[in-house]
Amino acid sequence: MFTIRVFDNDPNKNPDGKPIMSGDGSEQYRTLARMAKDQKDQRIKKIIDMRYNSDNNKLIAWKIIAKEMKMSIQGCINIHNKFITKHQKELCITQ
């Protein structure tokens, strides 16, 4: 299984460039999926499922997710990051 790592590219919040969330992929995926399920915008659940619910050790590329969602790559990343930022405390993300 892979490790989920979320980075904050804002140098003021993350000056050392280290991940702000990491851990066992299956455990983190279950937490993310549970939280995404309750969101009004169901694109979040689909993006989380596609990005992290994979049988191999690699994350699904944003290009593939964007094509499936019929959105831009940056649009998918923005939805993902907004969700992660909104739920940082519940995800035990440290900065």
Side-chain angles (χ1 to χ4, degrees):
M1 193 45 98
F2 56 87
T3 299
I4 296 174
R5 289 189 171 108
V6 178
F7 293 87
D8 189 332
N9 293 325
D10 182 346
N12 297 320
K13 293 181 184 175
N14 191 20
D16 57 3
K18 292 182 180 175
I20 57 174
M21 177 182 79
S22 85
D24 175 74
S26 60
E27 178 186 335
Q28 293 290 350
Y29 168 71
R30 285 191 298 272
T31 302
L32 287 170
R34 192 174 337 106
M35 294 166 71
K37 180 178 72 171
D38 299 331
Q39 300 300 307
K40 285 183 192 177
D41 187 350
Q42 288 303 300
R43 296 178 299 176
I44 295 169
K45 182 179 180 334
K46 190 166 183 179
I47 289 170
I48 295 297
D49 284 343
M50 290 179 69
R51 181 76 172 160
Y52 300 113
N53 191 18
S54 176
D55 292 335
N56 60 26
N57 288 340
K58 292 186 178 182
L59 297 174
I60 303 302
W62 288 116
K63 181 179 178 179
I64 295 168
I65 294 170
K67 186 175 183 179
E68 177 74 24
M69 298 286 296
K70 297 182 175 133
M71 295 176 61
S72 69
I73 293 170
Q74 191 61 53
C76 292
I77 293 169
N78 290 346
I79 289 170
H80 171 273
N81 288 350
K82 186 175 179 181
F83 170 74
I84 296 295
T85 301
K86 181 178 175 184
H87 295 286
Q88 281 182 345
K89 290 181 181 161
E90 295 101 315
L91 293 169
C92 300
I93 296 172
T94 58
Q95 290 190 353

